Every structure is written in C-alpha cells, then in structure tokens.
C-alpha cells in the first residue's frame, strides 16, 4: 500500500514542478515580449500628427516649412493625423505675429497642400521659370577680359544655336517625308 501512496505522491510532485517551470517560461516570454514592444514603441512613437523636432530630424529627410494661423493649428493637427503627416509646430512667442510655422518632411508637401485646401487656405502658386530666365545677370564693369571671366568671345557667339539647328533638321525631315508620300502614292495607284 505504501508503494501506491509513494507513486501518487511522486506524480503530484512532478506535475507541480512541470506546471511551475511552464509558468516561469510563460512569464519570461511575456516579459521579453513587453520589452520588445517597448523598444519598438520608443523607436517609432508616432506616424502622424504633432511630434518633436528630434523625431523629424532623425530620419535624415529634407524638411519644408509652411505657415498657418495660430487659431487654425488645432484643425491642422487633426487633419494631419487623418492624412498621415508628421509635423513640428514652431511658435514665435517673441514677435507674436499670429502665425505658426509648420516644419514637415518635404515628401509630405502634397498632403499638406491638400490639408490647407480643406482648411480654406489658397493653393500655393509656383514661380514661373521663364521669368527667372528672362533677366540675365548684368556684367560687372570691373571684370578683366584677359583672366577669363566667363564672358563669351566673338567666336563663341558666331556659332548657331542648337535649337535653330534642330528646327532646321525637323523641317528637312518633314520635306523628305512629304516627298516620300508623293512618290508612294502613284505606285500604289498603279496596282
């Protein structure tokens, strides 16, 4: 009889030890999972909305600055979460202009422009490139010709422009195409 009691006692003791080690392993696994989740949360705390300047800079991407009225900042913040835009507001407390500068990633400019449109701000106007090219810089009067100041000499100005040459070649190719069509038409009619 004592052998049955010892056997039962041993089975209970072994099952308690197995259960105890299973609980310890589960606890260690839960602790490691929590540590992993905390590490991930610290590396990438936000994906959209207001964030810190350090978070924007650490990505190493180009940043752009936009202006918004201070009373519209809360609305911009809600819309930025909706569109998935990270931004950092820069409030100038010294001058008190009533505007807030929004620093954000340059790649998010389209989303920010859409947010501004929804808020009733006018769409940004692009500068015309032709206006920039129309006014070349004036030459300095004190520049020396013999030192190579970048001014063109008379031999360089006598060369035909590439654009004029391309237009000339295009006209010649169109004439050749017309001639080929006029020659091909009689052959086709003979058949």
């Amino acid at each position: 009889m004592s052998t049955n009691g010892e056997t039962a006692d041993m089975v209970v003791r072994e099952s308690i030890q197995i259960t105890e080690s299973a609980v310890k392993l589960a606890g260690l696994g839960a602790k490691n999972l929590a540590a992993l989740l905390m590490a991930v949360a610290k590396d990438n705390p936000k994906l959209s909305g207001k964030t810190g300047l350090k978070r924007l800079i650490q990505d190493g991407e180009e940043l752009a600055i936009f202006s918004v009225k201070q009373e519209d900042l809360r609305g911009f913040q809600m819309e930025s979460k909706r569109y998935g835009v990270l931004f950092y507001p820069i409030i100038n407390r010294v001058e008190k202009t009533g505007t807030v500068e929004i620093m954000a990633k340059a790649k998010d400019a389209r989303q920010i422009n859409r947010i501004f449109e929804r808020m009733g701000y006018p769409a940004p106007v692009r500068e015309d490139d032709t206006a920039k090219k129309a006014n070349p810089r004036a030459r300095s009067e004190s520049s020396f010709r013999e030192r190579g100041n970048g001014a063109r000499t008379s031999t360089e100005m006598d060369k035909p422009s590439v654009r004029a040459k391309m237009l000339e070649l295009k006209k010649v190719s169109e004439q050749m195409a017309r001639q080929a069509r006029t020659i091909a038409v009689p052959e086709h009619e003979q058949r």
Side-chain angles (χ1 to χ4, degrees), residues 20-39:
E20 185 180 322
S21 57
V23 169
K24 281 183 183 178
L25 285 175
L28 285 174
K31 182 185 87 169
N32 289 339
L33 179 64
L36 178 68
L37 291 175
M38 292 278 288

Side-chain angles (χ1 to χ4, degrees), residues 110-124:
R110 288 183 178 173
Q111 287 92 340
I112 292 173
N113 286 337
R114 178 68 180 135
I115 291 169
F116 283 157
E117 286 176 12
R118 288 179 57 98
M119 292 175 64
Y121 283 83

Side-chain angles (χ1 to χ4, degrees), residues 33 36 51 63 72 80-81 107 110-112 119 134 161:
L33 179 64
L36 178 68
T51 188
L63 300 175
D72 293 337
S80 69
K81 287 181 183 178
K107 71 176 186 176
R110 288 183 178 173
Q111 287 92 340
I112 292 173
M119 292 175 64
S161 72

Side-chain angles (χ1 to χ4, degrees), residues 16 41 63 66-67 79 93 96 130 133 136 138 171 175:
I16 289 173
L63 300 175
F66 303 89
S67 293
E79 289 291 322
R93 289 185 168 83
K96 296 183 181 181
T130 57
K133 293 178 182 177
K171 287 179 184 177
Q175 288 175 351

Side-chain angles (χ1 to χ4, degrees), residues 147-190:
R147 298 287 312 241
N149 61 1
R152 292 185 175 183
T153 61
S154 63
T155 57
E156 291 176 350
M157 290 186 183
D158 293 342
K159 293 180 183 177
S161 72
V162 175
R163 181 173 290 162
K165 187 69 173 174
M166 292 298 292
L167 290 174
E168 182 182 328
L169 290 172
K170 187 175 181 180
K171 287 179 184 177
V172 170
S173 67
E174 287 174 357
Q175 288 175 351
M176 290 175 69
R178 277 190 229 124
Q179 287 176 355
R181 275 186 256 144
T182 57
I183 293 171
V185 170
E187 291 177 6
H188 181 59
E189 291 174 357
Q190 291 175 358

Side-chain angles (χ1 to χ4, degrees), residues 6-17:
E6 286 179 26
T7 309
D9 189 35
M10 190 182 287
V11 169
V12 170
R13 209 176 300 140
E14 290 294 324
S15 64
I16 289 173
Q17 286 178 352

